[in-house]
mmCIF file of all heavy atoms in Angstrom:
data_model
loop_
_atom_site.group_PDB
_atom_site.id
_atom_site.type_symbol
_atom_site.label_atom_id
_atom_site.label_comp_id
_atom_site.label_asym_id
_atom_site.label_seq_id
_atom_site.Cartn_x
_atom_site.Cartn_y
_atom_site.Cartn_z
ATOM 1 N N SER A 1 273.023 -3.845 73.117
ATOM 2 C CA SER A 1 273.868 -4.273 71.999
ATOM 3 C C SER A 1 273.138 -4.155 70.657
ATOM 4 O O SER A 1 273.776 -4.064 69.600
ATOM 5 C CB SER A 1 274.332 -5.712 72.210
ATOM 6 O OG SER A 1 273.227 -6.589 72.298
ATOM 7 N N ASN A 2 271.811 -4.147 70.692
ATOM 8 C CA ASN A 2 271.031 -4.032 69.449
ATOM 9 C C ASN A 2 270.484 -2.628 69.230
ATOM 10 O O ASN A 2 269.938 -2.338 68.161
ATOM 11 C CB ASN A 2 269.851 -5.015 69.469
ATOM 12 C CG ASN A 2 270.316 -6.462 69.441
ATOM 13 O OD1 ASN A 2 271.365 -6.773 68.883
ATOM 14 N ND2 ASN A 2 269.556 -7.345 70.062
ATOM 15 N N ALA A 3 270.599 -1.777 70.219
ATOM 16 C CA ALA A 3 269.982 -0.454 70.146
ATOM 17 C C ALA A 3 270.835 0.523 69.341
ATOM 18 O O ALA A 3 272.070 0.428 69.307
ATOM 19 C CB ALA A 3 269.775 0.099 71.555
ATOM 20 N N ILE A 4 270.164 1.457 68.687
ATOM 21 C CA ILE A 4 270.831 2.576 68.027
ATOM 22 C C ILE A 4 270.736 3.772 68.968
ATOM 23 O O ILE A 4 269.637 4.179 69.359
ATOM 24 C CB ILE A 4 270.179 2.900 66.673
ATOM 25 C CG1 ILE A 4 270.306 1.696 65.734
ATOM 26 C CG2 ILE A 4 270.824 4.140 66.048
ATOM 27 C CD1 ILE A 4 269.559 1.864 64.418
ATOM 28 N N ILE A 5 271.897 4.305 69.340
ATOM 29 C CA ILE A 5 271.945 5.352 70.364
ATOM 30 C C ILE A 5 272.642 6.587 69.802
ATOM 31 O O ILE A 5 273.738 6.499 69.238
ATOM 32 C CB ILE A 5 272.696 4.866 71.622
ATOM 33 C CG1 ILE A 5 272.024 3.604 72.177
ATOM 34 C CG2 ILE A 5 272.748 5.969 72.683
ATOM 35 C CD1 ILE A 5 272.787 2.965 73.326
ATOM 36 N N THR A 6 271.999 7.723 69.969
ATOM 37 C CA THR A 6 272.578 8.987 69.546
ATOM 38 C C THR A 6 272.847 9.852 70.764
ATOM 39 O O THR A 6 271.964 10.059 71.596
ATOM 40 C CB THR A 6 271.636 9.745 68.587
ATOM 41 O OG1 THR A 6 271.528 9.013 67.363
ATOM 42 C CG2 THR A 6 272.169 11.141 68.285
ATOM 43 N N VAL A 7 274.070 10.358 70.850
ATOM 44 C CA VAL A 7 274.459 11.285 71.910
ATOM 45 C C VAL A 7 274.717 12.638 71.261
ATOM 46 O O VAL A 7 275.426 12.733 70.256
ATOM 47 C CB VAL A 7 275.721 10.779 72.646
ATOM 48 C CG1 VAL A 7 276.194 11.802 73.679
ATOM 49 C CG2 VAL A 7 275.442 9.439 73.321
ATOM 50 N N ILE A 8 274.130 13.676 71.841
ATOM 51 C CA ILE A 8 274.246 15.015 71.259
ATOM 52 C C ILE A 8 275.047 15.917 72.200
ATOM 53 O O ILE A 8 274.719 16.042 73.384
ATOM 54 C CB ILE A 8 272.853 15.632 71.006
ATOM 55 C CG1 ILE A 8 272.017 14.716 70.102
ATOM 56 C CG2 ILE A 8 272.977 17.019 70.386
ATOM 57 C CD1 ILE A 8 270.576 15.185 69.916
ATOM 58 N N GLY A 9 276.116 16.532 71.658
ATOM 59 C CA GLY A 9 276.944 17.427 72.457
ATOM 60 C C GLY A 9 278.326 16.850 72.699
ATOM 61 O O GLY A 9 278.492 15.631 72.770
ATOM 62 N N VAL A 10 279.299 17.715 72.839
ATOM 63 C CA VAL A 10 280.686 17.294 73.096
ATOM 64 C C VAL A 10 281.167 17.967 74.372
ATOM 65 O O VAL A 10 281.356 19.184 74.422
ATOM 66 C CB VAL A 10 281.608 17.663 71.918
ATOM 67 C CG1 VAL A 10 283.056 17.331 72.248
ATOM 68 C CG2 VAL A 10 281.172 16.936 70.650
ATOM 69 N N ASN A 11 281.355 17.175 75.407
ATOM 70 C CA ASN A 11 281.831 17.669 76.704
ATOM 71 C C ASN A 11 282.186 16.462 77.559
ATOM 72 O O ASN A 11 282.055 15.308 77.108
ATOM 73 C CB ASN A 11 280.775 18.542 77.392
ATOM 74 C CG ASN A 11 279.396 17.912 77.364
ATOM 75 O OD1 ASN A 11 279.213 16.808 77.874
ATOM 76 N ND2 ASN A 11 278.432 18.592 76.751
ATOM 77 N N LYS A 12 282.639 16.698 78.771
ATOM 78 C CA LYS A 12 283.040 15.593 79.645
ATOM 79 C C LYS A 12 281.862 14.665 79.942
ATOM 80 O O LYS A 12 282.011 13.446 80.005
ATOM 81 C CB LYS A 12 283.624 16.121 80.951
ATOM 82 C CG LYS A 12 284.140 15.011 81.871
ATOM 83 C CD LYS A 12 284.696 15.560 83.169
ATOM 84 C CE LYS A 12 285.316 14.447 84.012
ATOM 85 N NZ LYS A 12 284.366 13.357 84.326
ATOM 86 N N LEU A 13 280.687 15.238 80.120
ATOM 87 C CA LEU A 13 279.509 14.430 80.436
ATOM 88 C C LEU A 13 279.179 13.459 79.316
ATOM 89 O O LEU A 13 278.928 12.274 79.559
ATOM 90 C CB LEU A 13 278.323 15.364 80.712
ATOM 91 C CG LEU A 13 276.990 14.721 81.097
ATOM 92 C CD1 LEU A 13 277.145 13.759 82.264
ATOM 93 C CD2 LEU A 13 275.968 15.800 81.421
ATOM 94 N N THR A 14 279.202 13.936 78.070
ATOM 95 C CA THR A 14 278.898 13.040 76.952
ATOM 96 C C THR A 14 280.030 12.033 76.736
ATOM 97 O O THR A 14 279.784 10.885 76.356
ATOM 98 C CB THR A 14 278.632 13.831 75.658
ATOM 99 O OG1 THR A 14 279.729 14.711 75.398
ATOM 100 C CG2 THR A 14 277.356 14.639 75.784
ATOM 101 N N ARG A 15 281.264 12.465 76.991
ATOM 102 C CA ARG A 15 282.387 11.519 76.873
ATOM 103 C C ARG A 15 282.227 10.370 77.865
ATOM 104 O O ARG A 15 282.363 9.197 77.502
ATOM 105 C CB ARG A 15 283.712 12.243 77.115
ATOM 106 C CG ARG A 15 284.925 11.317 77.051
ATOM 107 C CD ARG A 15 286.217 12.072 77.357
ATOM 108 N NE ARG A 15 287.371 11.187 77.257
ATOM 109 C CZ ARG A 15 287.764 10.372 78.234
ATOM 110 N NH1 ARG A 15 287.098 10.347 79.374
ATOM 111 N NH2 ARG A 15 288.815 9.584 78.068
ATOM 112 N N ASP A 16 281.954 10.702 79.127
ATOM 113 C CA ASP A 16 281.766 9.662 80.148
ATOM 114 C C ASP A 16 280.606 8.757 79.782
ATOM 115 O O ASP A 16 280.680 7.532 79.931
ATOM 116 C CB ASP A 16 281.514 10.298 81.518
ATOM 117 C CG ASP A 16 282.747 10.969 82.086
ATOM 118 O OD1 ASP A 16 283.854 10.725 81.573
ATOM 119 O OD2 ASP A 16 282.604 11.745 83.054
ATOM 120 N N THR A 17 279.525 9.349 79.306
ATOM 121 C CA THR A 17 278.340 8.566 78.943
ATOM 122 C C THR A 17 278.657 7.593 77.815
ATOM 123 O O THR A 17 278.264 6.420 77.867
ATOM 124 C CB THR A 17 277.190 9.507 78.532
ATOM 125 O OG1 THR A 17 276.899 10.402 79.610
ATOM 126 C CG2 THR A 17 275.938 8.702 78.202
ATOM 127 N N LEU A 18 279.376 8.055 76.807
ATOM 128 C CA LEU A 18 279.749 7.182 75.688
ATOM 129 C C LEU A 18 280.632 6.021 76.159
ATOM 130 O O LEU A 18 280.444 4.870 75.740
ATOM 131 C CB LEU A 18 280.472 7.987 74.606
ATOM 132 C CG LEU A 18 279.588 8.890 73.743
ATOM 133 C CD1 LEU A 18 280.445 9.910 72.991
ATOM 134 C CD2 LEU A 18 278.749 8.066 72.771
ATOM 135 N N LEU A 19 281.578 6.323 77.032
ATOM 136 C CA LEU A 19 282.458 5.270 77.542
ATOM 137 C C LEU A 19 281.676 4.242 78.351
ATOM 138 O O LEU A 19 281.889 3.027 78.207
ATOM 139 C CB LEU A 19 283.569 5.893 78.403
ATOM 140 C CG LEU A 19 284.640 6.680 77.647
ATOM 141 C CD1 LEU A 19 285.546 7.418 78.624
ATOM 142 C CD2 LEU A 19 285.462 5.756 76.754
ATOM 143 N N PHE A 20 280.755 4.709 79.183
ATOM 144 C CA PHE A 20 279.948 3.781 79.980
ATOM 145 C C PHE A 20 279.057 2.929 79.073
ATOM 146 O O PHE A 20 278.860 1.736 79.320
ATOM 147 C CB PHE A 20 279.090 4.551 80.989
ATOM 148 C CG PHE A 20 279.876 5.148 82.124
ATOM 149 C CD1 PHE A 20 279.609 6.430 82.565
ATOM 150 C CD2 PHE A 20 280.893 4.438 82.752
ATOM 151 C CE1 PHE A 20 280.324 6.995 83.613
ATOM 152 C CE2 PHE A 20 281.626 4.996 83.796
ATOM 153 C CZ PHE A 20 281.335 6.276 84.227
ATOM 154 N N LEU A 21 278.516 3.537 78.035
ATOM 155 C CA LEU A 21 277.673 2.783 77.102
ATOM 156 C C LEU A 21 278.486 1.693 76.409
ATOM 157 O O LEU A 21 278.020 0.550 76.260
ATOM 158 C CB LEU A 21 277.070 3.730 76.062
ATOM 159 C CG LEU A 21 275.927 4.627 76.543
ATOM 160 C CD1 LEU A 21 275.638 5.722 75.524
ATOM 161 C CD2 LEU A 21 274.663 3.807 76.803
ATOM 162 N N ARG A 22 279.686 2.030 75.983
ATOM 163 C CA ARG A 22 280.562 1.036 75.358
ATOM 164 C C ARG A 22 280.847 -0.114 76.326
ATOM 165 O O ARG A 22 280.779 -1.293 75.960
ATOM 166 C CB ARG A 22 281.878 1.682 74.946
ATOM 167 C CG ARG A 22 281.846 2.328 73.596
ATOM 168 C CD ARG A 22 281.981 1.285 72.493
ATOM 169 N NE ARG A 22 282.038 1.915 71.190
ATOM 170 C CZ ARG A 22 281.159 1.718 70.222
ATOM 171 N NH1 ARG A 22 280.124 0.912 70.407
ATOM 172 N NH2 ARG A 22 281.301 2.308 69.043
ATOM 173 N N ASN A 23 281.157 0.222 77.568
ATOM 174 C CA ASN A 23 281.460 -0.811 78.572
ATOM 175 C C ASN A 23 280.268 -1.710 78.859
ATOM 176 O O ASN A 23 280.444 -2.868 79.261
ATOM 177 C CB ASN A 23 281.935 -0.159 79.870
ATOM 178 C CG ASN A 23 283.310 0.461 79.737
ATOM 179 O OD1 ASN A 23 284.088 0.062 78.879
ATOM 180 N ND2 ASN A 23 283.618 1.431 80.575
ATOM 181 N N LYS A 24 279.065 -1.169 78.654
ATOM 182 C CA LYS A 24 277.845 -1.954 78.893
ATOM 183 C C LYS A 24 277.399 -2.725 77.653
ATOM 184 O O LYS A 24 276.368 -3.390 77.670
ATOM 185 C CB LYS A 24 276.714 -1.036 79.362
ATOM 186 C CG LYS A 24 276.904 -0.494 80.777
ATOM 187 C CD LYS A 24 276.806 -1.601 81.809
ATOM 188 C CE LYS A 24 276.922 -1.075 83.221
ATOM 189 N NZ LYS A 24 276.811 -2.157 84.232
ATOM 190 N N GLY A 25 278.165 -2.639 76.583
ATOM 191 C CA GLY A 25 277.860 -3.449 75.403
ATOM 192 C C GLY A 25 277.141 -2.737 74.279
ATOM 193 O O GLY A 25 276.767 -3.371 73.285
ATOM 194 N N ALA A 26 276.947 -1.433 74.391
ATOM 195 C CA ALA A 26 276.312 -0.696 73.296
ATOM 196 C C ALA A 26 277.215 -0.750 72.063
ATOM 197 O O ALA A 26 278.424 -0.550 72.153
ATOM 198 C CB ALA A 26 276.065 0.751 73.715
ATOM 199 N N PHE A 27 276.619 -0.998 70.915
ATOM 200 C CA PHE A 27 277.409 -1.230 69.703
ATOM 201 C C PHE A 27 277.264 -0.086 68.706
ATOM 202 O O PHE A 27 278.253 0.430 68.183
ATOM 203 C CB PHE A 27 276.982 -2.544 69.051
ATOM 204 C CG PHE A 27 277.769 -2.890 67.822
ATOM 205 C CD1 PHE A 27 279.077 -3.362 67.935
ATOM 206 C CD2 PHE A 27 277.225 -2.741 66.558
ATOM 207 C CE1 PHE A 27 279.824 -3.668 66.802
ATOM 208 C CE2 PHE A 27 277.955 -3.043 65.413
ATOM 209 C CZ PHE A 27 279.261 -3.513 65.547
ATOM 210 N N THR A 28 276.019 0.327 68.415
ATOM 211 C CA THR A 28 275.787 1.358 67.408
ATOM 212 C C THR A 28 275.591 2.702 68.085
ATOM 213 O O THR A 28 274.532 3.008 68.641
ATOM 214 C CB THR A 28 274.549 1.023 66.551
ATOM 215 O OG1 THR A 28 274.694 -0.299 66.015
ATOM 216 C CG2 THR A 28 274.394 2.012 65.405
ATOM 217 N N LEU A 29 276.650 3.521 68.044
ATOM 218 C CA LEU A 29 276.639 4.818 68.702
ATOM 219 C C LEU A 29 276.921 5.932 67.692
ATOM 220 O O LEU A 29 277.852 5.835 66.894
ATOM 221 C CB LEU A 29 277.707 4.870 69.799
ATOM 222 C CG LEU A 29 277.528 3.959 71.015
ATOM 223 C CD1 LEU A 29 278.778 4.002 71.889
ATOM 224 C CD2 LEU A 29 276.313 4.395 71.824
ATOM 225 N N PHE A 30 276.104 6.978 67.755
ATOM 226 C CA PHE A 30 276.326 8.172 66.956
ATOM 227 C C PHE A 30 276.586 9.345 67.894
ATOM 228 O O PHE A 30 275.955 9.463 68.946
ATOM 229 C CB PHE A 30 275.106 8.497 66.085
ATOM 230 C CG PHE A 30 274.850 7.509 64.989
ATOM 231 C CD1 PHE A 30 273.920 6.500 65.151
ATOM 232 C CD2 PHE A 30 275.548 7.593 63.790
ATOM 233 C CE1 PHE A 30 273.673 5.581 64.141
ATOM 234 C CE2 PHE A 30 275.316 6.672 62.771
ATOM 235 C CZ PHE A 30 274.372 5.667 62.951
ATOM 236 N N LEU A 31 277.499 10.213 67.504
ATOM 237 C CA LEU A 31 277.751 11.444 68.240
ATOM 238 C C LEU A 31 277.425 12.605 67.321
ATOM 239 O O LEU A 31 278.036 12.761 66.258
ATOM 240 C CB LEU A 31 279.217 11.522 68.694
ATOM 241 C CG LEU A 31 279.624 12.815 69.413
ATOM 242 C CD1 LEU A 31 278.821 13.009 70.695
ATOM 243 C CD2 LEU A 31 281.128 12.819 69.703
ATOM 244 N N ALA A 32 276.453 13.411 67.723
ATOM 245 C CA ALA A 32 276.033 14.555 66.910
ATOM 246 C C ALA A 32 276.448 15.849 67.582
ATOM 247 O O ALA A 32 276.365 15.990 68.805
ATOM 248 C CB ALA A 32 274.513 14.540 66.715
ATOM 249 N N ASN A 33 276.893 16.798 66.748
ATOM 250 C CA ASN A 33 277.333 18.074 67.295
ATOM 251 C C ASN A 33 277.278 19.130 66.202
ATOM 252 O O ASN A 33 277.321 18.808 65.006
ATOM 253 C CB ASN A 33 278.762 17.963 67.829
ATOM 254 C CG ASN A 33 279.133 19.118 68.736
ATOM 255 O OD1 ASN A 33 278.440 19.398 69.704
ATOM 256 N ND2 ASN A 33 280.221 19.801 68.426
ATOM 257 N N ARG A 34 277.182 20.388 66.614
ATOM 258 C CA ARG A 34 277.163 21.449 65.621
ATOM 259 C C ARG A 34 278.505 21.514 64.883
ATOM 260 O O ARG A 34 278.550 21.708 63.675
ATOM 261 C CB ARG A 34 276.865 22.787 66.322
ATOM 262 C CG ARG A 34 276.160 23.787 65.432
ATOM 263 C CD ARG A 34 275.656 24.976 66.223
ATOM 264 N NE ARG A 34 274.604 24.632 67.152
ATOM 265 C CZ ARG A 34 273.332 24.469 66.816
ATOM 266 N NH1 ARG A 34 272.964 24.605 65.553
ATOM 267 N NH2 ARG A 34 272.423 24.174 67.711
ATOM 268 N N SER A 35 279.596 21.318 65.639
ATOM 269 C CA SER A 35 280.929 21.266 65.029
ATOM 270 C C SER A 35 281.336 19.805 64.841
ATOM 271 O O SER A 35 281.621 19.097 65.800
ATOM 272 C CB SER A 35 281.951 21.977 65.928
ATOM 273 O OG SER A 35 283.263 21.685 65.501
#
């Protein structure tokens, strides 16, 4: 909940990972991508 987390890439794997992180209480999430 206090960690800053960056996920790089847009695909099903990163989508699932982001959803699981949210469910586990992650608050500060960044998604980085070329597009």
Side-chain angles (χ1 to χ4, degrees):
S1 60
N2 294 330
I4 298 174
I5 303 174
T6 293
V7 175
I8 303 174
V10 175
N11 47 59
K12 183 181 185 303
L13 181 53
T14 54
R15 178 182 182 278
D16 290 346
T17 302
L18 285 164
L19 289 171
F20 288 137
L21 285 167
R22 274 281 184 241
N23 290 336
K24 289 293 183 179
F27 182 75
T28 307
L29 294 172
F30 292 98
L31 177 61
N33 196 54
R34 209 169 293 280
S35 167

